[in-house]
Amino acid sequence: MTFILYLALIIVFTKAAGAISVKLGQPSVLGKLLAGILLGPAILGWVQPDAFIGHFSEIGVLLLMFIAGLETDVDQLRKNWKASFAVAVGGIILPFIGGYALAAGFGLTNNEALFLGLLLCATSVSISVQTLKEMDRLGSREGTTILGAAVVDDVIVVILLAVMMSFLGTAGDVSIGLLIGKKVLFFIVVIAAGWFIVPWFMKLFAPFKVTEAVMSAGLIVCLAFSYFAEMMGIAGIIGAFAAGIAISQTSFKHQVETKIEPIAYTLFVPVFFVSIGLNITFDGVGSQWLFIVLLTIVAVITKLIGGGAGARLTGFDNRSSIIIGSGMVSRGEVALIIASTGLQAGLLLPDYFTSVVLVVILTTLITPPLLKAVFKEDRQLASN
């Protein structure tokens, strides 16, 4: 029965902390993330990370990205694909160089430094999505560019990780051609399914004389796309986002969106936010405080400048470029997965694992107030 207590605590603390955060002029998501740190092993220890939390949080982030797909302006996304690609590339090159240089400066081996550089290349925009949604800017030109860049970033980083594991001899025989082919196949299948199969499936399912037939059909599409993405070596959140876009092009968009949001934001999404904070512990990090501070600074600045430069080179003005760069700062669950992979492969030393996880979570905590600040400044300048 422990999981029932966990759920009650998570809902109470995330809603209360979110309300306090808004009262202090910050996005509610910041309070929800801090609630996870407060409830978890780092402070109170009332909620422990376990399989239940893991499964619920995974559903939460999938639903969050599914909703983001439903709300995405596809025409805007199509217009900004060049900018999204440039932002993703800029947000990979600079963090890689910065992470490698810092790791080398702290005496890590060449392989370990390469891996740390790659880890900083990751981007997870699930937190940025929630922040943009709260500010009603998810459908803006900047918002759609951030979403598109995150998709490109995920594909490139996964391929680079596979290449690195192969060349460093920790993953056995890896066919790079097969890896790239699977990514290409994913997008071909998803585009074709979104264009032909999803509309047909939604129309087929909608007349069923059962409760919530349309929403059930939407969830089936979301979970199927997410599972297929994982099969193809791509993060499930990309599949969920693609499913949302596919359904947004049908007449069932509004019905699915209005039905899915209450479930997602009442139960599953709060667990996802808390799960991030549960990964924080302060054991043994005192001796590495300088490494943590410097790596956090490098992680934030390189994404901000790298992603912003990509936006600036593709026609965005300085203010919009800073907004886009800010939206790419959060590393989130993608970097946590990469860190775990590196630990198992011996490319990330156990002594540094906790510090790296802490840095990843700090970038996630920094993103909401950073986005809020740059959007506020943008609105002030626009009104002058």
Side-chain angles (χ1 to χ4, degrees):
M1 300 294 286
T2 306
F3 75 93
I4 296 176
L5 176 62
Y6 281 0
L7 275 181
L9 288 170
I10 287 169
I11 293 170
V12 169
F13 272 73
T14 53
K15 299 307 177 184
I20 293 169
S21 186
V22 170
K23 203 164 188 177
L24 295 174
Q26 295 298 323
S28 68
V29 65
L30 177 62
K32 294 170 185 175
L33 291 168
L34 292 173
I37 299 174
L38 180 63
L39 283 171
I43 300 180
L44 295 176
W46 291 354
V47 177
Q48 300 295 326
D50 58 17
F52 162 75
I53 294 291
H55 294 321
F56 256 60
S57 65
E58 190 169 348
I59 295 171
V61 72
L62 291 179
L63 293 180
L64 187 62
M65 294 305 294
F66 180 54
I67 293 168
L70 285 168
E71 297 184 356
T72 296
D73 185 333
V74 176
D75 291 333
Q76 188 82 269
L77 190 64
R78 194 180 295 119
K79 289 176 186 175
N80 293 325
W81 73 269
K82 290 181 181 178
S84 294
F85 187 82
V87 169
V89 171
I92 286 174
I93 293 173
L94 215 56
F96 184 83
I97 294 171
Y100 177 85
L102 183 68
F106 273 85
L108 275 68
T109 67
N110 187 60
N111 288 355
E112 291 162 356
L114 286 170
F115 180 80
L116 191 62
L118 179 64
L119 189 144
L120 291 194
C121 296
T123 288
S124 178
V125 295
S126 50
I127 301 302
S128 298
V129 162
Q130 180 61 20
T131 308
L132 291 168
K133 184 175 170 60
E134 287 181 23
M135 295 188 293
D136 197 27
R137 297 301 296 266
L138 188 59
S140 66
R141 188 182 175 207
E142 294 89 352
T144 51
T145 301
I146 290 168
L147 285 166
V151 174
V152 176
D153 184 287
D154 179 73
V155 174
I156 294 176
V157 168
V158 167
I159 292 172
L160 288 176
L161 177 64
V163 171
M164 183 177 290
M165 301 282 277
S166 177
F167 277 100
L168 298 181
T170 58
D173 295 327
V174 177
S175 170
I176 306 303
L178 178 61
L179 286 165
I180 296 174
K182 286 170 72 175
K183 310 299 178 283
V184 172
L185 178 62
F186 167 77
F187 285 103
I188 291 173
V189 171
V190 161
I191 291 170
W195 192 265
F196 299 107
I197 298 175
V198 171
W200 167 82
F201 179 74
M202 296 297 292
K203 287 177 184 176
L204 177 70
F205 223 82
F208 284 11
K209 301 299 181 183
V210 293
T211 54
E212 304 298 351
V214 171
M215 195 189 77
S216 299
L219 275 176
I220 291 168
V221 173
C222 172
L223 297 174
F225 274 42
S226 300
Y227 182 74
F228 181 60
E230 293 284 353
M231 280 181 58
M232 295 292 105
I234 295 175
I237 55 175
I238 303 301
F241 178 64
I245 289 178
I247 292 176
S248 75
Q249 303 307 296
T250 71
S251 59
F252 302 100
K253 171 188 174 178
H254 181 70
Q255 192 174 350
V256 172
E257 187 178 346
T258 54
K259 295 285 188 179
I260 202 72
E261 284 192 350
I263 295 174
Y265 288 112
T266 301
L267 190 59
F268 292 101
V269 173
V271 177
F272 164 64
F273 290 139
V274 165
S275 71
I276 295 174
L278 295 182
N279 287 293
I280 283 191
T281 61
F282 300 116
D283 298 336
V285 300
S287 60
Q288 295 185 10
W289 67 269
L290 182 61
F291 175 79
I292 293 169
V293 169
L294 291 178
L295 188 60
T296 301
I297 292 170
V298 168
V300 172
I301 290 177
T302 53
K303 271 291 184 184
L304 184 62
I305 296 175
R312 189 71 184 88
L313 289 171
T314 49
F316 284 90
D317 60 25
N318 289 334
R319 293 197 304 274
S320 293
S321 298
I322 293 171
I323 290 169
I324 291 168
S326 301
M328 298 294 288
V329 166
S330 174
R331 301 318 198 272
E333 71 282 356
V334 175
L336 293 176
I337 292 168
I338 293 175
S340 299
T341 302
L343 182 68
Q344 295 170 7
L347 293 174
L348 180 61
L349 294 174
D351 294 345
Y352 283 95
F353 180 73
T354 300
S355 297
V356 167
V357 169
L358 191 58
V359 170
V360 169
I361 294 172
L362 284 172
T363 65
T364 305
L365 289 171
I366 288 167
T367 299
L370 181 61
L371 267 174
K372 174 97 176 187
V374 294
F375 264 115
K376 184 178 180 181
E377 183 181 351
D378 182 49
R379 282 195 294 268
Q380 288 174 345
L381 289 170
S383 62
N384 292 336

